[in-house]
Amino acid sequence: MKKLLFISLFFLSCHFMAFSQSNKVEFTEFTLKNGLHVILHQDNSSPVIAVDIMYHVGSKNEKADRTGFAHFFEHLMFEGTENIDRGEIDKLIQNAGGRNNAGTSYDYTMYYEILPSNQLELALWLESERLMSLKIDTEGVETQRKVVKEERKQRYENQPYGSWTAEVFERAFEGYPYEWTPIGEVQYIDEAKIEEFREFHDQFYVPENAVLVVAGDINTEETKKLVQAYFEEIPKGGHEIYRPTAEYKPKNIEIRDTVYDNIQLPAVFLGYHMPAQGTSDYYALSMLQTLLSGGESSKFYKRLVDQEQKAIQVAAFPYGLENAGLFITLGLANMGVDLKEIESLLEEEIEKIKLEGLTDKEFQKLQNITESDFIGGNSTMEGIASSLANYYTFYNDAGLINTEINKYLAVTKDDIVRVAKKYLIPENRVVLYYLPKSDLANNQ
């Protein structure tokens, strides 16, 4: 058996190596004199380009009494610039046959455009304008105050279970900048003066705090010249970028609480402290997540949804962040089922892994899924551009787009059992019971 296992793993390893070599993402990178890092990936197989610019600023860079600024700028950056009229950015992209969007996390804010390749200069001009001459005036700020408040209302306050991230993170990271979510608190956005928004912009939206990625149907040398023409004369910020430096240390005590929400069915959320993204244990926990909730054959689904029919939905996923993270497990109860049963069943499946480990078949399946997900994530120009930006921003190594798969491959069955034993324990977690508001009224 051991010999057969060694042979199967050897061939699987060769398969991973073949994948890395035959699908290698080639790119050119350089840094402009103002500090802007640029990565270019040429692929002329389709007349499409993806242009990403990632700023290394997220909600963790905010002050505790001024949360939501990074997310606010995600919206404000679409208002207009000194040379682009208000509301015209989206129209210019759409009229050119493209699409664009942005996103804010705890650690970064990213803007992107997907366009026909003959519209490359348009994308570069738009992003250079937003970096160099964003318009921060009263009209734009007041407009976006309303937009952000409405988004919070729709996505967090009026959506069932919509507040779970805020509720879990607030308890898990009390006293640390991951305590608040990127959406922030409305009152701080209302209280902030326009000078505070300008100060935040001047601090973080500078060339040396960004990476620009262009991927797709380009000529590398010509694109390099265009990037230099549009971006090189933008002034450098010239100051130290604020980042929290203290290492977060879990309190080593279980935190339990109840949230009453506008819901019909109760749910339980368990957030286990885990190490930052990119650590060896992060990769093992990522594979553990697949074992627990990766499809209908996963342990959580088979036990709680299929066999016991106690839950209508289960999930597990690592919420990996730059400085720390949470491994989330959750269960949405079936009608009439007590959340204590759901929590107990989730724990039982985790304990089975700790005691029994993984079979060879289960482990090989995890590796196959990991490979498929890795390939899928880098199968489009949009995915490649995003990955290159992410790897450079957080690891200073865009080449990880070709080698990170090896970090997953290095994970063993014993590693998966070890991280389950180390991190998925009661004293390392926050447990939240979500109950209908009607229950609160009945208990009073």
Side-chain angles (χ1 to χ4, degrees):
M1 173 61 75
K2 289 184 178 179
K3 184 176 181 181
L4 289 175
L5 175 61
F6 172 78
I7 293 173
S8 65
L9 290 179
F10 172 77
F11 281 109
L12 185 61
S13 299
C14 291
H15 183 56
F16 272 95
M17 291 171 62
F19 157 73
S20 299
Q21 294 168 1
S22 62
N23 295 273
K24 185 177 181 181
V25 176
E26 302 287 352
F27 59 89
T28 298
E29 58 183 330
F30 55 95
T31 302
L32 300 180
K33 62 183 181 182
N34 58 14
L36 177 68
H37 195 74
V38 183
I39 305 173
L40 307 178
H41 166 64
Q42 180 174 334
D43 181 340
N44 305 113
S45 59
S46 180
V48 175
I49 56 164
V51 177
D52 282 32
I53 186 163
M54 179 178 283
Y55 294 91
H56 196 176
V57 53
S59 56
K60 79 166 185 296
N61 301 92
E62 300 162 348
K63 298 177 182 177
D65 62 351
R66 285 294 183 268
T67 63
F69 271 43
H71 174 254
F72 185 84
F73 268 93
E74 176 195 324
H75 290 270
L76 193 65
M77 293 279 273
F78 288 91
E79 272 291 307
T81 74
E82 296 300 328
N83 299 302
I84 303 175
D85 291 338
R86 194 177 309 281
E88 286 297 309
I89 291 177
D90 286 342
K91 292 179 183 178
L92 288 167
I93 295 294
Q94 291 167 7
N95 290 340
R99 57 186 173 87
N100 63 322
N101 212 328
T104 308
S105 83
Y106 293 87
D107 301 311
Y108 69 85
T109 309
M110 183 168 68
Y111 304 83
Y112 71 86
E113 295 87 23
I114 311 298
L115 284 158
S117 53
N118 61 3
Q119 298 296 322
L120 171 61
E121 281 200 66
L122 172 63
L124 295 178
W125 174 63
L126 289 175
E127 292 302 350
S128 66
E129 274 289 312
R130 293 205 282 200
L131 177 57
M132 179 172 57
S133 58
L134 182 70
K135 186 180 292 184
I136 307 176
D137 59 12
T138 301
E139 183 179 354
V141 167
E142 295 308 318
T143 298
Q144 294 310 320
R145 285 193 215 262
K146 297 175 184 176
V147 170
V148 168
K149 286 192 283 188
E150 183 62 26
E151 180 181 348
R152 181 182 176 88
K153 185 183 298 183
Q154 295 300 322
R155 292 179 56 189
Y156 292 82
E157 297 170 6
N158 295 343
Q159 183 172 314
Y161 319 100
S163 64
W164 79 264
T165 309
E167 297 287 358
V168 171
F169 274 70
E170 178 182 354
R171 291 162 176 80
F173 292 106
E174 182 181 3
Y176 192 77
Y178 287 148
E179 178 181 356
W180 54 85
T181 54
I183 193 69
E185 296 295 334
V186 168
Q187 69 265 29
Y188 299 141
I189 296 298
D190 277 342
E191 292 169 2
K193 297 179 173 59
I194 194 168
E195 291 77 16
E196 294 178 79
F197 290 116
R198 288 170 177 161
E199 180 182 338
F200 188 87
H201 176 270
D202 292 345
Q203 166 68 212
F204 296 107
Y205 285 83
V206 293
E208 63 267 40
N209 196 42
V211 56
L212 172 71
V213 181
V214 182
D217 184 28
I218 62 172
N219 177 285
T220 298
E221 289 305 313
E222 291 177 3
T223 304
K224 183 175 182 179
K225 292 176 183 177
L226 287 173
V227 169
Q228 290 170 332
Y230 281 104
F231 288 90
E232 195 151 48
E233 298 307 314
I234 299 175
K236 186 175 185 177
H239 55 260
E240 185 176 352
I241 306 296
Y242 166 71
R243 310 196 194 287
T245 55
E247 180 183 356
Y248 179 74
K249 296 182 179 179
K251 297 177 176 61
N252 296 318
I253 184 172
E254 183 183 61
I255 299 172
R256 302 184 74 91
D257 211 342
T258 301
V259 176
Y260 293 93
D261 197 7
N262 291 316
I263 57 176
Q264 298 297 318
L265 296 174
V268 58
F269 295 84
L270 301 95
Y272 297 87
H273 290 281
M274 60 175 279
Q277 61 184 16
T279 59
S280 58
D281 283 358
Y282 168 81
Y283 295 102
L285 285 162
S286 295
M287 296 182 77
L288 173 60
Q289 168 262 320
T290 303
L291 180 67
L292 291 173
S293 70
E296 295 185 1
S297 63
S298 65
K299 293 186 177 296
F300 279 175
Y301 188 92
K302 284 172 63 177
R303 179 75 185 280
L304 280 83
V305 179
D306 191 13
Q307 296 174 5
E308 302 280 350
Q309 297 185 357
K310 297 290 186 180
I312 63 171
Q313 185 175 340
V314 289
F317 54 90
Y319 214 123
L321 300 172
E322 184 175 19
N323 296 349
L326 290 178
F327 188 94
I328 305 295
T329 66
L330 65 93
L332 180 60
N334 221 328
M335 187 69 71
V337 178
D338 194 305
L339 286 181
K340 292 180 181 178
E341 290 187 77
I342 303 295
E343 181 183 351
S344 178
L345 289 170
L346 293 172
E347 289 179 330
E348 283 183 22
E349 291 307 307
I350 292 171
E351 290 304 311
K352 285 181 182 178
I353 294 172
K354 295 178 183 179
L355 294 172
E356 302 171 8
L358 292 74
T359 66
D360 296 340
K361 183 178 180 180
E362 286 175 330
F363 185 58
Q364 184 166 344
K365 181 179 178 181
L366 290 184
Q367 290 190 310
N368 292 341
I369 293 173
T370 299
E371 177 190 21
S372 177
D373 289 346
F374 191 82
I375 294 172
N378 295 317
S379 62
T380 65
M381 291 305 104
E382 184 177 351
I384 289 172
S386 177
S387 292
L388 288 168
N390 181 78
Y391 288 133
Y392 181 80
T393 298
F394 297 115
Y395 309 106
N396 197 33
D397 182 7
L400 283 170
I401 195 169
N402 295 313
T403 62
E404 191 187 31
I405 189 66
N406 297 326
K407 297 187 177 184
Y408 287 102
L409 185 61
V411 174
T412 66
K413 290 194 296 182
D414 289 342
D415 287 329
I416 294 173
V417 174
R418 176 181 56 79
V419 295
K421 291 179 178 179
K422 182 175 181 179
Y423 299 105
L424 305 193
I425 53 178
E427 60 267 31
N428 191 47
R429 72 186 182 186
V430 171
V431 181
L432 282 189
Y433 278 19
Y434 262 68
L435 297 175
K437 283 188 175 179
S438 58
D439 287 10
L440 177 60
N442 294 334
N443 292 333
Q444 291 180 338

